[in-house]
Amino acid sequence: MIPGEFTYHRPSSVAEAIAILASHGDEARPLSGGHSLIPMMKLRMAAPEHLVDLGGIADLKGISEDGGTITIGCMTTQHELIGSDLLADKLPIIRETSLLIADPQIRYMGTLGGNVANGDPGNDMPGLMQCLGATYVLTGPDGDREVAARDFYEAAYFTALAPEEILTAVKIPAPPAGHGYAYEKLKRKVGDYATAAAAVVLTMTGGTVASCSIALTNVADTPLHAADASDILTGSTLDASTIASAVAAAEAITDPASDGRGPAEYRTKMAGIMMQRALARAAERASA
Amino acid sequence: MNDMTPTREQREAALEGMGCKRKRVEDVRFTQGKGQYVDDLKLPGMVFGDFVRSPYPHAKITKIDATEALKIPGVIAVLTAEDLKGVNLAWMPTLAGDVQMVLADGKVLYQNQEVAFVVAEDRYIADDAIQLVEVEYEELPVLVDPFKSMDPDAPVLRPDLEGKTEGAHGPRKHHNHIFNWEVGDEDETAKAFAEADVTINEMISYHRTHPSPLETCQCVASMDKVKGELTVWGTFQAPHVIRTVASLLSTIPEHKIHVIAPDIGGGFGNKVGAYPGYICSIVASIVTGVPVKWVEDRMENLSTTSFARDYHMTTEIAAKSDGTVTGLKVHVLADHGGFDACADPSKWPAGFFNIVTGSYDFPAAHLSVDGVYTNKAPGGVAYRCSFRVTEAAYCIERAMDILAQKLDMDPADLRMKNFVKADQFPYQSALGWEYDSGDYHTAMQKAMDTIGYRELRAEQKAKQEAFKRGETREIMGIGVSFFTEIVGAGPSKNCDILGVAMFDSAEIRVHPTGSVISRMGTKSQGQGHETTWAQIIATEIGIPAADIMVEEGNTDTAPYGLGTYGSRSTPVAGAAIALAARKIRNKAQMIAAHMLEVSEYDLEWDIDGFQVKGNPEARKSMKEIAWAAYHAPPPNMEPGLEAVSYYDPPNMTYPFGAYFCVMDIDVDTGVASTRRFYALDDCGTRINPMIIEGQVHGGLTEAFAIAMGQEIRYDEMGNVLGASFMDFFIPTAVETPHWETDHTVTPSPHHPIGAKGVGESPNVGGVPAFSNAVNDAFQFLGSTHIQMPHDSWRVWQAAKDLGAHG
């Protein structure tokens, strides 16, 4: 549980950070909250020679709204997400999800950017960002480019992020006022990754689902946007048989690992149960 | 009496003696980060040791090459078994009569086994060097399943035992067999089964887990080559035993070995045994001449330094149709891992598992235990229980529920019917123990009344109907557990560790001004001895607990004792303390008589001093008597006021309790929520009710963890799974249920203050309560027995197998 030797950098600007990353290539890793990377280093499963701490870059923090889009700086901590009045008003599902991540001590350090950029299928925010249709801003030597959360994840720990890039911000289209939402997470204990989790955002019109977006966490080697399930539910009254076919569609795209949380079959079934429960709560919260 | 004279009540209260909810004095330093643990120790020139470990569970070692590692600046040495052979320490004896490799000698028997010991100037360098020690392995077939260990073609795990047909505990019947231990009357038991109206037969497994104290195992060894003296600071629950073992192994005379156990961050049995880290640190310090520190990390702790349980108990009960039990037959297959390093008294290869008749009056019983080797870590420690008592309690409490189900009787009523009755004590059990005291019916009735048992059963019935009608997906379980423990090892007639009788000791010195220092052979790891020992002395000799300092853990100053585990401190050392205190009081009585110029027979004890019978104004307080002991003792009497007592208990003590768990289970997710948990404990005389309550809370939390998911699991390849707190279930305050505690008091008749010990009761009684609650919930769907641990996926699986998912 002791990491190998590395050089620690603490740049004060994004440009400086990118320059360091670019000059060291694969040997360098950006460091945000550190709650995934540092344990991996202690186990010597990751051994970057250069750690580029983004904590000294003031520009990377903060939550703002502009024309229906909410932008969150990558170094914004989960604790700050929980405390944000803007998010509580416009995107309450972020607060609900953040409160299910680890424990307060970790949330003081853990960041949104680190959580989405690391590519760990156990993280909660990637699925949520897919559910919300978020876009990631990737900043590299040639400037910014944007990649949809739904296109970002390739496999466990493999993403669209290049070694010399930093995921600097997350842009989220604010769902309409009156939307229903829920994040349901089954876990063994505080601090655990999900056995299975589901994010649901929907709108209702006169008892019918007007729009619906669903994503699943930790039931494949990437987060899963359950597009088919969402489509099946849109236009329905959330009757039992439609829900059953949506659950079946969602379960069909899962491919979980068997681990201490349970065998694959269990985790697939739990993804379905979490989705069903999230749907019920989201529908209850939605204005008709 | 004027207003300034304290009343008797005030004098009594000032003592903070037995029965007082005295705040724990040790917490002043613990809650301020001022405890002094092994890893806080920094000695000049100290270096660090760390292990190269095997990635394979079973392999030959064909080569170890440390050339590259030794090239790193700051690497001092890399020790292997070959080096240890030079000092005859490549292997060490275990407490169970086996031998164990200190460093891998030609092969490894479990994953993460210690292969080489790197000594370096700091921990970082040591860990870098570990990566560069080249070890060549040749993989061997792996034996994981204990039920396959004695197959004819099972791999040979221990070539060192080849041809040894006799083990430390009798004949071995297979190359992977360690021992067979048999107790009871087989013929009588067979007769009971032949004549029974009803029998049950169930294989009840208690899975492998780990004590997982917050502080891992660690030590600092420092050899002074000039004086020829060795000092070892370590996480030792039994420091004197460690000193004796170190002397026997190293041939350093015992008086030149100083063993010091400083503050310990939890033990739970993990810190009883001797581990390769201790031996290697000592050898490395002898070799290098500088102090060597070794500190385990969490994964090392969980995967190598001991385990607990791993008992597979085929259990049969014979009964009459009215529910009266007539016979008990248990066969245990005990998975001991690669070496038999179980921490039991030497003559007890399966500990006190023969307490398995529990609280019930079985006229006949027979027990047979087979220990076997597998490719898993050695250990078999008593995780917050007296030796194998929690396995026994789980076995009988689960089996009584299964019998109740078969008889269609209420499980609480079945227990009531079969309890040993209050007038049967002292009670001779069919498997050889003499229970000292108990009043089971009273305790059970109080528990049932308090929790509203009959109403809960009615509610459960209604919920089952609603479930069957499809109105709810939640089911309800009521777990009943009534346990009898056997603690306080133990009487020299049946208990020793490597030949040393399992007495314990206390030394009390009263200073001239009436304050006290006292030292014991026990060692607190969180039990609060500094608080409770002072309370016993305070009551016995009338000096306020606040004026009494308790010191443990330094073998140079403390009298020889066997240490703290198996709930033995209060039954054994607690008795020694009371008896040492009474020696002091006897001498004080003679001094007081001299001071008051009366015969000592004219004096009577009154709270904090002696008074003349019939004339309470003529009195001398202990403070005055202490001064006189040093200032003007009676003629012909030695000055001073101190005493030592070594106590060999005449019998074990038998704490008991009634626990009830009410659980609601979500059938669709398998999530089980504990709605209520009620624990009634009878530990005899209660020294500090607040510490008892704390002990019960802690033990119940561990029981909850074990029953509901805490497990050291191996895959079929022998890889240890989940050896980190990410997977090994340590509940937080969020998951932990609320505990309701209660008590009855049935003092031990043979203990000087009637106390029985309580630290382990909640773990012993708690596990069956949780497991019975889960099992009880599923009974109406046709289930007989669901194995632990009851983590969500397994509960879900059980529900699925019973057709509860439609």
Side-chain angles (χ1 to χ4, degrees), chain A residues 8 11 37-38 44 47 51 78 86 88 101 107 112 115 119 124 137 139 159 164-165 170 196 274 284:
Chain A
Y8 174 81
L37 182 56
I38 289 175
R44 298 200 179 214
L51 265 192
Q78 286 133 14
L86 176 61
I101 297 174
R107 297 196 292 258
L112 176 63
N115 196 289
D124 292 286
V137 180
T139 307
T159 67
E164 67 281 6
E165 284 180 323
V170 177
M274 291 302 108
E284 208 178 282

Side-chain angles (χ1 to χ4, degrees), chain A residues 44 188-190 265-266 277, chain B residues 128 666 669 727 730 735:
Chain A
R44 298 200 179 214
R188 294 172 298 180
K189 60 171 278 192
V190 164
E265 184 201 3
Y266 174 66
R277 292 184 180 179
Chain B
D128 288 344
D666 178 340
T669 59
D727 285 301
I730 301 282
E735 292 82 35

Side-chain angles (χ1 to χ4, degrees), chain B residues 241-264:
Chain B
V241 178
I242 293 283
R243 186 184 70 189
T244 302
V245 170
S247 176
L248 293 172
L249 290 181
S250 69
T251 69
I252 299 169
E254 198 166 355
H255 69 288
K256 290 197 169 183
I257 299 179
H258 316 287
V259 172
I260 299 165
D263 286 331
I264 297 183

Side-chain angles (χ1 to χ4, degrees), chain B residues 652-694:
Chain B
M652 309 280 188
T653 61
Y654 298 77
F656 58 94
Y659 289 3
F660 283 81
C661 174
V662 184
M663 206 174 256
D664 297 304
I665 295 173
D666 178 340
V667 168
D668 291 326
T669 59
V671 172
S673 317
T674 303
R675 190 200 308 177
R676 283 185 77 181
F677 197 103
Y678 168 88
L680 178 149
D681 274 286
D682 192 321
C683 59
T685 303
R686 293 156 60 84
I687 301 166
N688 183 327
M690 188 164 66
I691 284 187
I692 291 172
E693 196 182 10

Side-chain angles (χ1 to χ4, degrees), chain B residues 68-253:
Chain B
E68 291 304 310
L70 286 164
K71 284 181 188 165
I72 299 180
V75 175
I76 296 158
V78 178
L79 300 178
T80 65
E82 294 307 313
D83 302 307
L84 297 182
K85 280 177 185 171
V87 285
N88 203 22
L89 279 173
W91 292 66
M92 62 178 180
T94 70
L95 294 174
D98 196 1
V99 287
Q100 176 181 356
M101 292 176 203
V102 174
L103 289 171
D105 184 10
K107 73 180 291 190
V108 289
L109 284 163
Y110 54 94
Q111 194 177 50
N112 288 354
Q113 187 178 333
E114 299 81 357
V115 172
F117 191 64
V118 173
V119 184
E121 284 173 6
D122 68 37
R123 289 173 183 171
Y124 290 82
I125 297 171
D127 212 336
D128 288 344
I130 284 169
Q131 322 294 322
L132 296 182
V133 176
E134 277 180 54
V135 185
E136 281 178 14
Y137 298 93
E138 200 175 285
E139 285 186 74
L140 293 168
V142 177
L143 175 60
V144 177
D145 182 353
F147 287 93
K148 293 183 178 151
S149 61
M150 292 201 283
D151 285 357
D153 59 347
V156 177
L157 267 48
R158 295 284 302 273
D160 62 296
L161 299 178
E162 205 183 339
K164 260 190 99 177
T165 52
E166 195 71 18
H169 305 282
R172 299 170 65 225
K173 55 191 175 198
H174 183 275
H175 55 256
N176 292 326
H177 186 236
I178 308 171
F179 65 87
N180 174 265
W181 188 60
E182 243 188 281
V183 196
D185 190 327
E186 196 170 7
D187 295 339
E188 276 299 306
T189 308
K191 206 169 137 230
F193 276 84
E195 292 166 2
D197 298 330
V198 180
T199 62
I200 63 146
N201 182 340
E202 192 68 47
M203 208 291 285
I204 299 168
S205 274
Y206 196 145
H207 57 285
R208 180 175 277 238
T209 182
H210 192 281
S212 57
L214 189 56
E215 178 201 35
T216 59
C217 296
Q218 32 201 272
C219 75
V220 176
S222 180
M223 183 73 199
D224 183 328
K225 290 195 175 186
V226 177
K227 290 183 178 168
E229 292 180 22
L230 171 70
T231 307
V232 187
W233 293 262
T235 45
F236 306 135
Q237 291 181 231
H240 283 97
V241 178
I242 293 283
R243 186 184 70 189
T244 302
V245 170
S247 176
L248 293 172
L249 290 181
S250 69
T251 69
I252 299 169

Side-chain angles (χ1 to χ4, degrees), chain A residues 1-4 43-44 186 188-193 259-263 265-266 269-270 273-274 277, chain B residues 123-124 127-128 131 297 299 666 668-669 671 713 726-727 729-730 732 734-735 791-793 796 800:
Chain A
M1 292 296 283
I2 291 176
L43 292 167
R44 298 200 179 214
L186 180 66
R188 294 172 298 180
K189 60 171 278 192
V190 164
D192 195 14
Y193 294 116
D259 63 14
R261 294 169 188 86
E265 184 201 3
Y266 174 66
K269 287 291 167 195
M270 290 310 101
I273 298 272
M274 291 302 108
R277 292 184 180 179
Chain B
R123 289 173 183 171
Y124 290 82
D127 212 336
D128 288 344
Q131 322 294 322
D297 69 26
M299 297 175 92
D666 178 340
D668 291 326
T669 59
V671 172
R713 210 151 60 99
M726 207 54 213
D727 285 301
F729 180 43
I730 301 282
T732 72
V734 175
E735 292 82 35
D791 44 5
S792 299
W793 78 262
W796 175 87
K800 179 171 181 262

